[in-house]
Amino acid sequence: MSVLKLKLDQDALVEDFFEDTWLAGIISQAKDYQLIWQLNKQLGFDFRVNNTLEINLAKNRRSFFFTVYEHQEITKGAGHYFYNNHCKAEFLLPELKHVDYLWLIKGNYYQQADVKALIEQCRKAELVQMASLLDMRDIKNRINLIF
């Protein structure tokens, strides 16, 4: 009897997930819930914790949980996901240790100029020290962002 083995094509998974996406890095010393409250006011969004999207990474026989906030713009077909990049002494994206939070925008509604305008609005929030658009191709561990 032969055994059929299926192999998940991670490259295709990553490519599909990050199609029509934008990623911003945010530096802030504030707690995630404080920053989210301020960004909701600043941007007119309704980010809320989505526990089903929480990222669980296991390293050195320890589990680390990274909070994900979600805001959906139904009329624009866009989803906004706000990740905490730190959990204790671990990072969701180790190559971006200086970045505290990540903001992923999914959907083909937003173009580069729109995303830059959103990031500019984000910078105006009092608790935001810096916000910048990131190049997805430079991120090696982007598979960690997939929920």
Side-chain angles (χ1 to χ4, degrees):
M1 176 193 266
S2 65
V3 176
L4 178 64
K5 291 185 179 183
L6 299 175
K7 185 177 178 184
L8 181 63
D9 185 359
Q10 287 188 346
D11 292 335
L13 176 70
V14 169
E15 195 67 33
D16 287 345
F17 184 84
F18 291 107
E19 185 176 348
D20 294 325
T21 60
W22 300 93
L23 185 66
I26 298 172
I27 297 175
S28 174
Q29 298 302 314
K31 300 282 186 194
D32 55 0
Y33 61 88
Q34 294 170 321
L35 181 59
I36 286 297
W37 179 81
Q38 197 171 72
L39 289 177
N40 280 340
K41 282 180 41 180
Q42 183 73 32
L43 301 170
F45 284 1
D46 189 25
F47 276 111
R48 295 182 183 240
V49 171
N50 187 334
N51 291 325
T52 60
L53 299 181
E54 184 176 68
I55 307 291
N56 178 11
L57 289 183
K59 290 185 179 181
N60 301 328
R61 294 185 288 169
R62 292 182 62 199
S63 290
F64 298 95
F65 298 92
F66 298 88
T67 307
V68 179
Y69 290 81
E70 178 183 26
H71 168 69
Q72 292 293 325
E73 289 184 285
I74 307 289
T75 57
K76 296 179 180 176
H80 300 262
Y81 303 93
F82 196 86
Y83 299 80
N84 198 331
N85 193 35
H86 299 171
C87 179
K88 299 175 187 166
E90 287 299 325
F91 298 92
L92 185 59
L93 296 180
E95 62 269 29
L96 296 175
K97 290 181 180 179
H98 62 284
V99 173
D100 299 306
Y101 301 100
L102 302 159
W103 179 9
L104 181 74
I105 303 170
K106 285 181 67 75
N108 60 5
Y109 176 81
Y110 286 100
Q111 301 303 310
Q112 188 168 7
D114 303 320
V115 173
K116 286 183 178 182
L118 280 175
I119 291 171
E120 192 59 41
Q121 278 186 288
C122 177
R123 285 185 188 130
K124 293 177 183 175
E126 185 179 322
L127 295 174
V128 173
Q129 293 173 333
M130 194 209 59
S132 178
L133 191 59
L134 302 172
D135 190 348
M136 206 64 87
R137 295 171 295 205
D138 295 340
I139 300 171
K140 294 180 238 169
N141 294 299
R142 60 185 168 173
I143 195 164
N144 292 352
L145 297 175
I146 296 176
F147 42 80

